[in-house]
Amino acid sequence: MQVKWMEQPDSYMVTFKQNDILTKVNYDKDGNFVSSIRYYSEKNLPVTIICRVEKEYAASRCSG
């Protein structure tokens, strides 16, 4: 797994990919966790979530 650290003016951002899931984590300058976001493809989502999204957005298509 490749981990990339980027220093921002007021924070640090860490990005890595594990099991085909891209994760971005933000820390403040003191090293405290601020936020995170994970980018999933459909194959990594639980079936219950896939069904709910398909029902709610039947006329749409997910991509990205």
Side-chain angles (χ1 to χ4, degrees), residues 1-6 8 11-18 20-27 33-40:
M1 170 176 30
Q2 182 180 0
V3 178
K4 182 178 179 184
W5 285 83
M6 293 178 284
Q8 313 274 332
S11 63
Y12 298 99
M13 179 185 284
V14 184
T15 59
F16 60 92
K17 195 170 191 179
Q18 183 177 26
D20 292 327
I21 300 171
L22 175 63
T23 302
K24 294 183 178 185
V25 183
N26 290 304
Y27 296 95
F33 173 83
V34 174
S35 65
S36 67
I37 187 166
R38 299 176 84 189
Y39 298 89
Y40 294 84

